[in-house]
Amino acid sequence: MLTQIKGLHHVTSMAANAQENNDFFTKTLGLRRVKKTVNFDAPDVYHLYYGDEVGNAGSVMTYFPFPDMNRGARGAGEVAETVFSVPRGTLPYWQERLTREGVQGLGTYELFGEKRLRFAGPDGDGFSLAEVDGDNRTPFDGGTVSKDEGIHGFRGVTMRLRDEGATGELLTFMGYQPVDRHGEMIRYAIPGGNGADTIDLEVIPGAARAFQGAGSVHHVAFSVEDRAAQLEVRKALLDTGYNVTPVIDRDYFWAIYFRTPGGVLFEIATNEPGFNRDEDTAHLGEALKLPTRYQQYRSQIEAHLPAIKD
């Protein structure tokens, strides 16, 4: 069993409109845009990062906004819901706020003893806010939501699968433990994790396969402290039979990727070097940052990308 993984690092999804996406996360949800860069494999598309003040691991929601992308189809083999942690007693505030903002799909429910508020993102993305006691992570306090009600970071994600078995075995190998079950939902958690340390599996044997598009999660990334820990995880996964990519430099972290038995793309990302490697903390997410190999094309890239008004 691996011990290097402490929980989630980030969750990356797809969207159809950069401005709408930016407004939803910075204005409606009150997160900070901590980086504005491009998709390293498709530099004509933004890669936008939202999180706490410095983009700590376990707080960062990221997006590839492909202009006018068709919506994805929900189903098995995907991350069906991304869950954020908020302070206990704040769901009435959030329900009133999201209602006022015209957010769709609002509904309260309880799962594994947590009070939750479900809602949809601009592209039909599946989200929930969960009231969590004892979450000592500090919400971003410089936006539209105060730290008393603000989002601490992720609680975890819900993966919708046709079968639990092989994915459950993988999560156990990665250091998660099955801790609870409620109907078709099975909760896995990392003891002493980073707060973003739960994975819920929703098992629906007859579910149709998901089809990715706007509103779909592209991949979910797990956090390790540094490159040495990442290499240990990579070797263990390879030895277990997983097809794992080489280490890829993403400027703000190093990444490896592999496909799970249930079809979800997993990433293992380092906490180093962080989002302030090329911007000071006071100005995170303001300027368009490009990987070195694309700097020579900056004028063409800037001319092509749609402007984002803050």
Side-chain angles (χ1 to χ4, degrees):
M1 183 182 75
L2 299 173
T3 59
Q4 298 89 342
I5 295 169
K6 303 304 179 185
L8 298 184
H9 186 282
H10 65 270
V11 176
T12 294
S13 295
M14 296 178 288
N17 184 286
Q19 184 69 63
E20 185 178 50
N21 182 259
N22 180 84
D23 291 349
F24 183 77
F25 284 94
T26 62
K27 297 178 181 177
T28 302
L29 296 187
L31 299 178
R32 185 182 193 186
R33 193 180 71 213
V34 295
K35 193 61 59 180
K36 180 170 67 171
T37 182
V38 294
N39 184 322
F40 283 19
D41 302 313
D44 58 335
V45 173
Y46 280 117
H47 194 176
L48 304 175
Y49 294 73
Y50 312 99
D52 64 14
E53 184 174 10
V54 297
N56 283 305
S59 77
V60 181
M61 189 81 207
T62 98
Y63 272 86
F64 302 133
F66 291 91
D68 303 317
M69 186 182 206
N70 291 330
R71 283 197 180 188
R74 302 282 76 86
E78 68 170 351
V79 172
E81 190 169 71
T82 302
V83 184
F84 296 101
S85 169
V86 295
R88 181 169 292 278
T90 61
L91 286 192
Y93 163 85
W94 279 104
Q95 184 157 19
E96 189 278 331
R97 178 182 180 83
L98 298 182
T99 299
R100 185 177 68 247
E101 294 290 329
V103 173
Q104 301 298 303
L106 289 168
T108 57
Y109 67 108
E110 188 167 321
L111 185 64
F112 300 124
E114 297 171 354
K115 293 180 180 179
R116 291 186 172 191
L117 175 64
R118 177 174 284 130
F119 62 99
D123 295 290
D125 327 44
F127 294 114
S128 277
L129 300 172
E131 291 188 349
V132 181
D133 272 337
D135 191 334
N136 296 319
R137 296 175 293 170
T138 303
F140 177 51
D141 195 27
T144 59
V145 178
S146 78
K147 66 179 179 181
D148 291 334
E149 292 90 16
I151 291 171
H152 292 289
F154 296 122
R155 176 61 168 152
V157 297
T158 299
M159 295 167 52
R160 183 173 294 134
L161 308 171
R162 290 175 174 171
D163 176 77
E164 172 201 0
T167 299
E169 290 177 5
L170 170 61
L171 290 173
T172 302
F173 179 71
M174 291 170 60
Y176 285 81
Q177 297 178 9
V179 295
D180 207 348
R181 181 183 292 264
H182 181 76
E184 74 277 7
M185 302 288 290
I186 306 100
R187 167 156 288 188
Y188 287 77
I190 290 184
N194 65 0
D197 46 24
T198 65
I199 303 289
D200 296 335
L201 302 185
E202 181 183 19
V203 180
I204 306 177
R209 295 293 298 179
F211 179 80
Q212 285 201 339
S216 299
V217 171
H218 184 271
H219 63 267
V220 56
F222 296 83
S223 168
V224 293
E225 188 61 32
D226 52 33
R227 297 185 70 186
Q230 184 184 63
L231 289 175
E232 292 170 356
V233 171
R234 184 175 186 272
K235 182 180 185 304
L237 289 168
L238 287 169
D239 290 347
T240 309
Y242 284 95
N243 183 18
V244 187
T245 68
V247 176
I248 302 172
D249 183 358
R250 297 302 193 193
D251 278 5
Y252 312 107
F253 48 88
W254 283 272
I256 57 175
Y257 303 86
F258 65 102
R259 187 73 62 178
T260 69
V264 179
L265 183 62
F266 275 9
E267 173 185 345
I268 310 294
T270 63
N271 294 350
E272 58 175 0
F275 293 102
N276 59 1
R277 68 175 295 273
D278 57 1
E279 292 179 297
D280 63 69
T281 299
H283 298 286
L284 285 179
E286 294 180 4
L288 177 66
K289 296 297 180 179
L290 298 177
T292 301
R293 67 181 182 272
Y294 294 138
Q295 288 290 355
Q296 61 184 316
Y297 306 113
R298 175 174 285 276
S299 59
Q300 297 99 304
I301 290 172
E302 289 181 335
H304 178 80
L305 291 172
I308 298 177
K309 297 178 181 179
D310 295 326

